[in-house]
């Protein structure tokens, strides 16, 4: 660390670094930039699938099938980057069901909420389209750096969720 100055706070001296530190603003800007790229790509390629539908398809692939659809509705409504509340999550999933991408989307339905063959096929085409875009974004980082970034971001998510729900760290 290169020290460029010193700051005294409450009789303690701290070295100030020229190296930038990760902030919430950095995370938000990265999310905004990648979402803008995704949206532009989907539009340019003629997809009618939205960025939020794509995110939900990916999340459902990792998490699903979901036995209790209300759990996935709550999950989506809790994902601030999607910009949806409970009603918005229900509308998103209803649209995806209307497109034939998922079944069991009703919040109070018996479940399971699951991808259909059409949903899996759409996700495959979307990923084939978007993967070439993500390679250059992440390609400048080593696997070790990406693993560290993953651990840091996962830790930030966990801590923020705990603090938001009144838990102690």
């Amino acid at each position: 660390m290169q020290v460029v100055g010193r700051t005294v706070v409450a009789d303690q001296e701290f070295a100030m670094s020229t190296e930038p530190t990760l902030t919430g603003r950095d995370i938000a800007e990265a999310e905004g930039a990648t979402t803008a790229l995704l949206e532009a790509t989907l539009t340019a390629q003629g997809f009618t699938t939205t960025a939020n539908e794509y995110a939900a398809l990916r999340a459902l692939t990792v998490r699903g099938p979901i036995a209790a659809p209300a759990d996935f509705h709550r999950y989506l409504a809790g994902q601030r980057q999607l910009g949806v509340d409970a009603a918005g999550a229900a509308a998103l999933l209803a649209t995806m069901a209307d497109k034939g991408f998922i079944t069991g989307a009703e919040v109070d339905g018996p479940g399971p909420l699951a991808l259909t063959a059409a949903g899996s096929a759409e996700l495959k085409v979307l990923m084939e389209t978007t993967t070439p875009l993500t390679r250059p974004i992440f390609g400048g980082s080593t696997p070790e750096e990406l693993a560290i970034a993953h651990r840091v971001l996962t830790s930030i998510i966990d801590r923020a969720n705990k603090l938001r729900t009144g838990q102690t760290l």
Side-chain angles (χ1 to χ4, degrees):
M1 171 172 45
Q2 179 184 2
V3 176
V4 295
R6 298 204 177 272
T7 300
V8 177
V9 177
D11 296 327
Q12 292 185 339
E13 191 173 324
F14 297 95
M16 294 173 34
S17 168
T18 59
E19 295 178 26
T21 59
L22 181 65
T23 67
R25 181 188 51 79
D26 298 325
I27 295 167
E29 286 185 23
E31 187 275 327
T34 55
T35 298
L37 177 61
L38 174 62
E39 290 169 345
T41 301
L42 295 178
T43 300
Q45 297 294 321
F47 284 99
T48 59
T49 302
T50 67
N52 278 358
E53 290 169 350
Y54 177 62
L57 286 170
R58 294 218 35 182
L60 190 54
T61 298
V62 171
R63 299 179 185 295
I66 309 294
D71 292 343
F72 197 64
H73 281 250
R74 276 190 299 279
Y75 167 77
L76 292 177
Q79 300 304 302
R80 306 245 338 166
Q81 70 276 19
L82 298 179
V84 298
D85 57 10
L92 172 64
L93 293 174
T95 298
M96 293 173 66
D98 290 345
K99 289 181 175 184
F101 295 161
I102 60 174
T103 59
E106 302 81 19
V107 69
D108 56 357
L113 193 156
L115 282 179
T116 63
S120 293
E122 181 73 0
L123 180 59
K124 182 177 187 271
V125 171
L126 288 165
M127 290 181 70
E128 288 169 352
T129 301
T130 58
T131 297
L133 297 172
T134 60
R135 280 193 189 110
I137 292 170
F138 296 106
S141 301
T142 67
E144 294 79 18
E145 290 169 330
L146 293 173
I148 291 167
H150 176 77
R151 284 193 304 271
V152 168
L153 292 173
T154 300
S155 175
I156 290 168
I157 292 165
D158 291 343
R159 289 181 201 162
N161 285 336
K162 284 180 180 176
L163 291 171
R164 184 176 49 85
T165 59
Q167 299 175 37
T168 58
L169 297 180

PDB file of all heavy atoms in Angstrom, residues 148-167:
ATOM      1  N   ILE A 148     -12.031 -14.678  -5.281  1.00  0.00           N
ATOM      2  CA  ILE A 148     -11.992 -13.713  -4.177  1.00  0.00           C
ATOM      3  C   ILE A 148     -13.170 -12.752  -4.290  1.00  0.00           C
ATOM      4  O   ILE A 148     -13.857 -12.480  -3.297  1.00  0.00           O
ATOM      5  CB  ILE A 148     -10.653 -12.943  -4.161  1.00  0.00           C
ATOM      6  CG1 ILE A 148      -9.508 -13.880  -3.763  1.00  0.00           C
ATOM      7  CG2 ILE A 148     -10.725 -11.743  -3.228  1.00  0.00           C
ATOM      8  CD1 ILE A 148      -8.122 -13.311  -4.009  1.00  0.00           C
ATOM      9  N   ALA A 149     -13.422 -12.240  -5.493  1.00  0.00           N
ATOM     10  CA  ALA A 149     -14.556 -11.328  -5.695  1.00  0.00           C
ATOM     11  C   ALA A 149     -15.861 -12.009  -5.320  1.00  0.00           C
ATOM     12  O   ALA A 149     -16.725 -11.395  -4.665  1.00  0.00           O
ATOM     13  CB  ALA A 149     -14.598 -10.847  -7.143  1.00  0.00           C
ATOM     14  N   HIS A 150     -16.008 -13.270  -5.698  1.00  0.00           N
ATOM     15  CA  HIS A 150     -17.223 -14.015  -5.350  1.00  0.00           C
ATOM     16  C   HIS A 150     -17.378 -14.115  -3.832  1.00  0.00           C
ATOM     17  O   HIS A 150     -18.464 -13.869  -3.304  1.00  0.00           O
ATOM     18  CB  HIS A 150     -17.189 -15.405  -5.986  1.00  0.00           C
ATOM     19  CG  HIS A 150     -18.347 -16.249  -5.598  1.00  0.00           C
ATOM     20  ND1 HIS A 150     -19.597 -16.089  -6.134  1.00  0.00           N
ATOM     21  CD2 HIS A 150     -18.463 -17.250  -4.684  1.00  0.00           C
ATOM     22  CE1 HIS A 150     -20.428 -16.958  -5.597  1.00  0.00           C
ATOM     23  NE2 HIS A 150     -19.764 -17.671  -4.707  1.00  0.00           N
ATOM     24  N   ARG A 151     -16.308 -14.465  -3.152  1.00  0.00           N
ATOM     25  CA  ARG A 151     -16.369 -14.578  -1.692  1.00  0.00           C
ATOM     26  C   ARG A 151     -16.698 -13.237  -1.046  1.00  0.00           C
ATOM     27  O   ARG A 151     -17.503 -13.161  -0.116  1.00  0.00           O
ATOM     28  CB  ARG A 151     -15.057 -15.137  -1.136  1.00  0.00           C
ATOM     29  CG  ARG A 151     -14.892 -16.624  -1.352  1.00  0.00           C
ATOM     30  CD  ARG A 151     -13.758 -17.216  -0.531  1.00  0.00           C
ATOM     31  NE  ARG A 151     -12.472 -16.569  -0.750  1.00  0.00           N
ATOM     32  CZ  ARG A 151     -11.588 -16.916  -1.689  1.00  0.00           C
ATOM     33  NH1 ARG A 151     -11.863 -17.907  -2.502  1.00  0.00           N
ATOM     34  NH2 ARG A 151     -10.444 -16.269  -1.800  1.00  0.00           N
ATOM     35  N   VAL A 152     -16.073 -12.166  -1.518  1.00  0.00           N
ATOM     36  CA  VAL A 152     -16.326 -10.842  -0.952  1.00  0.00           C
ATOM     37  C   VAL A 152     -17.775 -10.440  -1.176  1.00  0.00           C
ATOM     38  O   VAL A 152     -18.466  -9.996  -0.248  1.00  0.00           O
ATOM     39  CB  VAL A 152     -15.359  -9.789  -1.547  1.00  0.00           C
ATOM     40  CG1 VAL A 152     -15.799  -8.377  -1.197  1.00  0.00           C
ATOM     41  CG2 VAL A 152     -13.940 -10.048  -1.076  1.00  0.00           C
ATOM     42  N   LEU A 153     -18.271 -10.590  -2.396  1.00  0.00           N
ATOM     43  CA  LEU A 153     -19.651 -10.190  -2.690  1.00  0.00           C
ATOM     44  C   LEU A 153     -20.654 -11.049  -1.924  1.00  0.00           C
ATOM     45  O   LEU A 153     -21.650 -10.529  -1.402  1.00  0.00           O
ATOM     46  CB  LEU A 153     -19.909 -10.251  -4.194  1.00  0.00           C
ATOM     47  CG  LEU A 153     -19.147  -9.208  -5.011  1.00  0.00           C
ATOM     48  CD1 LEU A 153     -19.334  -9.470  -6.503  1.00  0.00           C
ATOM     49  CD2 LEU A 153     -19.556  -7.797  -4.652  1.00  0.00           C
ATOM     50  N   THR A 154     -20.402 -12.332  -1.819  1.00  0.00           N
ATOM     51  CA  THR A 154     -21.289 -13.213  -1.046  1.00  0.00           C
ATOM     52  C   THR A 154     -21.309 -12.789   0.414  1.00  0.00           C
ATOM     53  O   THR A 154     -22.369 -12.753   1.051  1.00  0.00           O
ATOM     54  CB  THR A 154     -20.841 -14.682  -1.187  1.00  0.00           C
ATOM     55  OG1 THR A 154     -20.908 -15.036  -2.575  1.00  0.00           O
ATOM     56  CG2 THR A 154     -21.732 -15.609  -0.391  1.00  0.00           C
ATOM     57  N   SER A 155     -20.149 -12.444   0.947  1.00  0.00           N
ATOM     58  CA  SER A 155     -20.072 -11.988   2.332  1.00  0.00           C
ATOM     59  C   SER A 155     -20.839 -10.678   2.519  1.00  0.00           C
ATOM     60  O   SER A 155     -21.555 -10.495   3.511  1.00  0.00           O
ATOM     61  CB  SER A 155     -18.611 -11.812   2.732  1.00  0.00           C
ATOM     62  OG  SER A 155     -18.505 -11.266   4.014  1.00  0.00           O
ATOM     63  N   ILE A 156     -20.699  -9.758   1.573  1.00  0.00           N
ATOM     64  CA  ILE A 156     -21.426  -8.482   1.651  1.00  0.00           C
ATOM     65  C   ILE A 156     -22.927  -8.731   1.629  1.00  0.00           C
ATOM     66  O   ILE A 156     -23.678  -8.142   2.422  1.00  0.00           O
ATOM     67  CB  ILE A 156     -20.998  -7.548   0.498  1.00  0.00           C
ATOM     68  CG1 ILE A 156     -19.567  -7.066   0.726  1.00  0.00           C
ATOM     69  CG2 ILE A 156     -21.961  -6.370   0.355  1.00  0.00           C
ATOM     70  CD1 ILE A 156     -18.949  -6.368  -0.480  1.00  0.00           C
ATOM     71  N   ILE A 157     -23.377  -9.604   0.742  1.00  0.00           N
ATOM     72  CA  ILE A 157     -24.808  -9.934   0.657  1.00  0.00           C
ATOM     73  C   ILE A 157     -25.297 -10.509   1.984  1.00  0.00           C
ATOM     74  O   ILE A 157     -26.322 -10.082   2.519  1.00  0.00           O
ATOM     75  CB  ILE A 157     -25.069 -10.922  -0.498  1.00  0.00           C
ATOM     76  CG1 ILE A 157     -24.820 -10.237  -1.844  1.00  0.00           C
ATOM     77  CG2 ILE A 157     -26.493 -11.482  -0.426  1.00  0.00           C
ATOM     78  CD1 ILE A 157     -24.703 -11.201  -3.012  1.00  0.00           C
ATOM     79  N   ASP A 158     -24.568 -11.465   2.516  1.00  0.00           N
ATOM     80  CA  ASP A 158     -24.965 -12.098   3.781  1.00  0.00           C
ATOM     81  C   ASP A 158     -25.015 -11.082   4.923  1.00  0.00           C
ATOM     82  O   ASP A 158     -25.980 -11.050   5.696  1.00  0.00           O
ATOM     83  CB  ASP A 158     -24.001 -13.235   4.147  1.00  0.00           C
ATOM     84  CG  ASP A 158     -24.113 -14.435   3.223  1.00  0.00           C
ATOM     85  OD1 ASP A 158     -25.127 -14.544   2.497  1.00  0.00           O
ATOM     86  OD2 ASP A 158     -23.174 -15.247   3.214  1.00  0.00           O
ATOM     87  N   ARG A 159     -23.997 -10.256   5.039  1.00  0.00           N
ATOM     88  CA  ARG A 159     -23.959  -9.266   6.122  1.00  0.00           C
ATOM     89  C   ARG A 159     -25.074  -8.240   5.987  1.00  0.00           C
ATOM     90  O   ARG A 159     -25.730  -7.884   6.971  1.00  0.00           O
ATOM     91  CB  ARG A 159     -22.604  -8.556   6.147  1.00  0.00           C
ATOM     92  CG  ARG A 159     -21.475  -9.425   6.606  1.00  0.00           C
ATOM     93  CD  ARG A 159     -20.193  -8.631   6.609  1.00  0.00           C
ATOM     94  NE  ARG A 159     -19.053  -9.521   6.571  1.00  0.00           N
ATOM     95  CZ  ARG A 159     -17.854  -9.156   6.222  1.00  0.00           C
ATOM     96  NH1 ARG A 159     -17.612  -7.905   5.877  1.00  0.00           N
ATOM     97  NH2 ARG A 159     -16.871 -10.012   6.214  1.00  0.00           N
ATOM     98  N   ALA A 160     -25.281  -7.749   4.774  1.00  0.00           N
ATOM     99  CA  ALA A 160     -26.345  -6.761   4.551  1.00  0.00           C
ATOM    100  C   ALA A 160     -27.710  -7.347   4.874  1.00  0.00           C
ATOM    101  O   ALA A 160     -28.548  -6.689   5.512  1.00  0.00           O
ATOM    102  CB  ALA A 160     -26.309  -6.257   3.117  1.00  0.00           C
ATOM    103  N   ASN A 161     -27.937  -8.594   4.464  1.00  0.00           N
ATOM    104  CA  ASN A 161     -29.229  -9.226   4.782  1.00  0.00           C
ATOM    105  C   ASN A 161     -29.415  -9.415   6.276  1.00  0.00           C
ATOM    106  O   ASN A 161     -30.513  -9.229   6.788  1.00  0.00           O
ATOM    107  CB  ASN A 161     -29.359 -10.552   4.034  1.00  0.00           C
ATOM    108  CG  ASN A 161     -29.643 -10.363   2.558  1.00  0.00           C
ATOM    109  OD1 ASN A 161     -30.166  -9.324   2.137  1.00  0.00           O
ATOM    110  ND2 ASN A 161     -29.300 -11.344   1.758  1.00  0.00           N
ATOM    111  N   LYS A 162     -28.349  -9.778   6.971  1.00  0.00           N
ATOM    112  CA  LYS A 162     -28.450  -9.925   8.428  1.00  0.00           C
ATOM    113  C   LYS A 162     -28.758  -8.597   9.097  1.00  0.00           C
ATOM    114  O   LYS A 162     -29.628  -8.521   9.952  1.00  0.00           O
ATOM    115  CB  LYS A 162     -27.158 -10.513   9.001  1.00  0.00           C
ATOM    116  CG  LYS A 162     -27.012 -11.995   8.759  1.00  0.00           C
ATOM    117  CD  LYS A 162     -25.721 -12.520   9.334  1.00  0.00           C
ATOM    118  CE  LYS A 162     -25.620 -14.012   9.061  1.00  0.00           C
ATOM    119  NZ  LYS A 162     -24.342 -14.564   9.511  1.00  0.00           N
ATOM    120  N   LEU A 163     -28.057  -7.557   8.712  1.00  0.00           N
ATOM    121  CA  LEU A 163     -28.291  -6.243   9.306  1.00  0.00           C
ATOM    122  C   LEU A 163     -29.696  -5.738   8.970  1.00  0.00           C
ATOM    123  O   LEU A 163     -30.367  -5.153   9.830  1.00  0.00           O
ATOM    124  CB  LEU A 163     -27.251  -5.237   8.832  1.00  0.00           C
ATOM    125  CG  LEU A 163     -25.835  -5.463   9.357  1.00  0.00           C
ATOM    126  CD1 LEU A 163     -24.847  -4.546   8.661  1.00  0.00           C
ATOM    127  CD2 LEU A 163     -25.790  -5.274  10.873  1.00  0.00           C
ATOM    128  N   ARG A 164     -30.158  -5.985   7.744  1.00  0.00           N
ATOM    129  CA  ARG A 164     -31.494  -5.540   7.329  1.00  0.00           C
ATOM    130  C   ARG A 164     -32.577  -6.218   8.149  1.00  0.00           C
ATOM    131  O   ARG A 164     -33.619  -5.617   8.447  1.00  0.00           O
ATOM    132  CB  ARG A 164     -31.692  -5.829   5.849  1.00  0.00           C
ATOM    133  CG  ARG A 164     -33.001  -5.332   5.269  1.00  0.00           C
ATOM    134  CD  ARG A 164     -33.117  -5.555   3.775  1.00  0.00           C
ATOM    135  NE  ARG A 164     -32.791  -6.882   3.343  1.00  0.00           N
ATOM    136  CZ  ARG A 164     -33.637  -7.904   3.336  1.00  0.00           C
ATOM    137  NH1 ARG A 164     -34.876  -7.748   3.736  1.00  0.00           N
ATOM    138  NH2 ARG A 164     -33.259  -9.100   2.922  1.00  0.00           N
ATOM    139  N   THR A 165     -32.343  -7.440   8.540  1.00  0.00           N
ATOM    140  CA  THR A 165     -33.354  -8.189   9.308  1.00  0.00           C
ATOM    141  C   THR A 165     -33.115  -8.124  10.808  1.00  0.00           C
ATOM    142  O   THR A 165     -33.731  -8.884  11.561  1.00  0.00           O
ATOM    143  CB  THR A 165     -33.404  -9.663   8.850  1.00  0.00           C
ATOM    144  OG1 THR A 165     -32.118 -10.254   9.032  1.00  0.00           O
ATOM    145  CG2 THR A 165     -33.825  -9.775   7.401  1.00  0.00           C
ATOM    146  N   GLY A 166     -32.211  -7.213  11.248  1.00  0.00           N
ATOM    147  CA  GLY A 166     -32.019  -6.999  12.667  1.00  0.00           C
ATOM    148  C   GLY A 166     -31.097  -7.994  13.358  1.00  0.00           C
ATOM    149  O   GLY A 166     -31.009  -7.996  14.579  1.00  0.00           O
ATOM    150  N   GLN A 167     -30.423  -8.831  12.598  1.00  0.00           N
ATOM    151  CA  GLN A 167     -29.495  -9.793  13.189  1.00  0.00           C
ATOM    152  C   GLN A 167     -28.161  -9.087  13.445  1.00  0.00           C
ATOM    153  O   GLN A 167     -27.834  -8.102  12.819  1.00  0.00           O
ATOM    154  CB  GLN A 167     -29.297 -10.981  12.255  1.00  0.00           C
ATOM    155  CG  GLN A 167     -30.567 -11.754  11.971  1.00  0.00           C
ATOM    156  CD  GLN A 167     -30.322 -12.846  10.942  1.00  0.00           C
ATOM    157  OE1 GLN A 167     -29.271 -13.481  10.927  1.00  0.00           O
ATOM    158  NE2 GLN A 167     -31.284 -13.062  10.077  1.00  0.00           N
TER     159      GLN A 167
END
